[in-house]
Amino acid sequence: DDFGSMMRFPAGQIEALRESGVEVQVFNPVHHYVNRLYFNYRDHRKIVCIDGSTAYTGGANVADEYANLTVRFGYWKDCGIRLDGAGAWGLTREFLHMWQRNGGQLMQERDYYRPHDHREAAGFCQPFVDGPDNNPISTAEDVFLHLINNARRSVHITTPYLAIDEPMRQALCSAGDSGVDVRLLLPGIPDHKFAYLAAQSHYGELLVHHVKIYIYEPGLLHGKTVLSDGEAAFVGSVNMDYRSFQLHFECGTVLYGVPAIEGLAEDIQRITDRSRRVTYQEWKSRPWYRKLLSTLLRLFEMWM
């Protein structure tokens, strides 16, 4: 993605990769779309496909801080998932589609990249993608709403950003009011301070409707996950904000009844154990200038 990497991955490094034999395509070159809506369209997907039989997705980009090799915003906590066998094809197919869309060539026919082994496993997984091509339909937001609205006991969500529209607020509040254990786990050290302050403007309404908000104190919680009733889950690149739901090209995997869900539940519990729960009184007691700034920034949160 040209905009996402322009400050930290200069053109000279791209050419060095190409000279070494690595094929590189640039998504949405910035200079082509200055002062256009297209400037806001970003390739936010994170997909790695290996030999057609293995694929990864999640929240991690290719940068040292995601592996905590360098320290930015405290401890960087992310989440991802590995798919083996037939489940990998959904992500591989979408990678190939985006590759060709940006001018890349395939060395073989598409079927060459399909998984060659078929593994038996419990439950099912469904990789999917979303992006501006679908607008006004947001597949990613529909997945989130489905997991929240169908929860009967619990729904636990990790997200680095919170810029939600009315249907999402209603879903969270209705679930909380109905007795579902709704938990939002958010970062303690933000990478975008204005977006972080705008997110706080939502806390009051959510807390009144029994939504529990936890702040991950060690640093930046960057994982994007939803766990519903300990049975169904989402892991992918989608944040709970307008950009992910409407402007970015995103991806993820829906899981049901698979062993990996147990690992996700354990990971979310570890995050919760290292987090501080926000109370309504604490939220109300913020300094007046933070309240004012949060309210003003909320007017612009869809662009953050």
Side-chain angles (χ1 to χ4, degrees), residues 22 32 64 122 140 202 209 213 225 245 254 263 265 297:
V22 179
H32 284 185
D64 288 342
H202 296 282
H209 291 278
I213 298 175
T225 66
F245 291 147
V254 177
L297 289 172

Side-chain angles (χ1 to χ4, degrees), residues 19-85:
E19 290 173 2
S20 299
V22 179
E23 297 183 58
V24 181
Q25 295 295 329
V26 177
F27 176 86
N28 202 3
V30 171
H31 68 277
H32 284 185
Y33 301 114
V34 174
N35 296 325
R36 294 190 185 183
L37 177 62
Y38 296 118
F39 182 76
N40 283 293
Y41 294 160
R42 316 272 173 77
D43 185 6
H44 196 245
R45 297 172 185 173
K46 298 90 163 63
I47 298 175
V48 176
C49 308
I50 304 166
D51 292 338
S53 60
T54 300
Y56 293 86
T57 189
N61 295 306
V62 182
D64 288 342
E65 59 265 30
Y66 290 84
N68 287 288
L69 299 176
T70 59
V71 177
R72 298 182 71 208
F73 316 110
Y75 183 81
W76 198 298
K77 177 70 178 75
D78 224 307
C79 186
I81 189 168
R82 168 176 169 159
L83 304 179
D84 292 308

Side-chain angles (χ1 to χ4, degrees), residues 96-113:
L96 296 177
H97 175 74
M98 183 65 79
W99 178 254
Q100 291 182 298
R101 180 174 181 167
N102 284 275
Q105 302 296 316
L106 299 183
M107 297 176 62
Q108 306 286 344
E109 296 294 328
R110 288 176 68 89
D111 284 348
Y112 171 84
Y113 302 95

Side-chain angles (χ1 to χ4, degrees), residues 94 106 183 185 221 224 264:
E94 295 304 330
L106 299 183
R183 301 185 184 187
L185 291 91
L221 178 59
K224 306 92 163 53
L264 177 60

Side-chain angles (χ1 to χ4, degrees), residues 2-298:
D2 198 25
F3 186 89
S5 60
M6 64 187 303
M7 300 301 294
R8 301 181 63 189
F9 200 71
Q13 293 187 25
I14 293 178
E15 290 307 314
L17 284 174
R18 287 172 171 159
E19 290 173 2
S20 299
V22 179
E23 297 183 58
V24 181
Q25 295 295 329
V26 177
F27 176 86
N28 202 3
V30 171
H31 68 277
H32 284 185
Y33 301 114
V34 174
N35 296 325
R36 294 190 185 183
L37 177 62
Y38 296 118
F39 182 76
N40 283 293
Y41 294 160
R42 316 272 173 77
D43 185 6
H44 196 245
R45 297 172 185 173
K46 298 90 163 63
I47 298 175
V48 176
C49 308
I50 304 166
D51 292 338
S53 60
T54 300
Y56 293 86
T57 189
N61 295 306
V62 182
D64 288 342
E65 59 265 30
Y66 290 84
N68 287 288
L69 299 176
T70 59
V71 177
R72 298 182 71 208
F73 316 110
Y75 183 81
W76 198 298
K77 177 70 178 75
D78 224 307
C79 186
I81 189 168
R82 168 176 169 159
L83 304 179
D84 292 308
W89 174 239
L91 293 174
T92 303
R93 181 190 64 225
E94 295 304 330
F95 175 88
L96 296 177
H97 175 74
M98 183 65 79
W99 178 254
Q100 291 182 298
R101 180 174 181 167
N102 284 275
Q105 302 296 316
L106 299 183
M107 297 176 62
Q108 306 286 344
E109 296 294 328
R110 288 176 68 89
D111 284 348
Y112 171 84
Y113 302 95
R114 288 181 179 273
H116 298 290
D117 56 335
H118 300 277
R119 306 183 185 186
E120 296 296 328
F124 68 85
C125 66
Q126 177 60 64
F128 71 93
V129 296
D130 193 14
D133 293 338
N134 298 344
N135 289 347
I137 296 172
S138 173
T139 303
E141 185 171 18
D142 288 346
V143 167
F144 278 52
L145 289 171
H146 179 80
L147 291 171
I148 296 168
N149 290 330
N150 284 276
R152 295 296 175 264
R153 301 184 304 277
S154 64
V155 57
H156 299 166
I157 301 169
T158 70
T159 180
Y161 314 114
L162 187 70
I164 50 179
D165 57 14
E166 188 60 26
M168 187 64 70
R169 277 195 300 275
Q170 287 183 354
L172 292 168
C173 292
S174 295
D177 286 340
S178 68
V180 174
D181 178 19
V182 183
R183 301 185 184 187
L184 287 176
L185 291 91
L186 305 170
I189 302 178
D191 58 340
H192 299 295
K193 292 184 178 180
F194 286 165
Y196 188 71
L197 287 171
Q200 292 178 357
S201 68
H202 296 282
Y203 288 8
E205 181 180 3
L206 295 171
L207 290 167
V208 166
H209 291 278
H210 311 291
V211 175
K212 303 178 183 71
I213 298 175
Y214 291 84
I215 304 300
Y216 181 67
E217 294 194 308
L220 178 60
L221 178 59
H222 195 258
K224 306 92 163 53
T225 66
V226 183
L227 178 63
S228 179
D229 288 339
E231 299 175 347
F234 162 85
V235 179
S237 67
V238 184
N239 299 313
M240 287 188 72
D241 63 10
Y242 179 84
R243 280 194 167 276
S244 276
F245 291 147
Q246 298 294 333
L247 296 177
H248 290 174
F249 289 83
E250 302 281 5
C251 69
T253 300
V254 177
L255 310 168
Y256 183 81
V258 300
I261 289 179
E262 296 179 11
L264 177 60
E266 293 171 358
D267 189 49
I268 290 177
Q269 185 58 56
R270 286 192 293 268
I271 294 170
T272 306
D273 292 341
R274 303 187 70 186
S275 299
R276 170 180 54 84
R277 183 173 171 182
V278 178
T279 66
Y280 184 78
Q281 185 58 40
E282 175 190 343
W283 178 79
K284 286 285 289 184
S285 301
R286 293 171 298 154
W288 67 268
Y289 57 87
R290 292 181 69 93
K291 294 179 182 178
L292 177 60
L293 190 56
S294 292
T295 301
L296 292 175
L297 289 172
R298 182 167 172 172

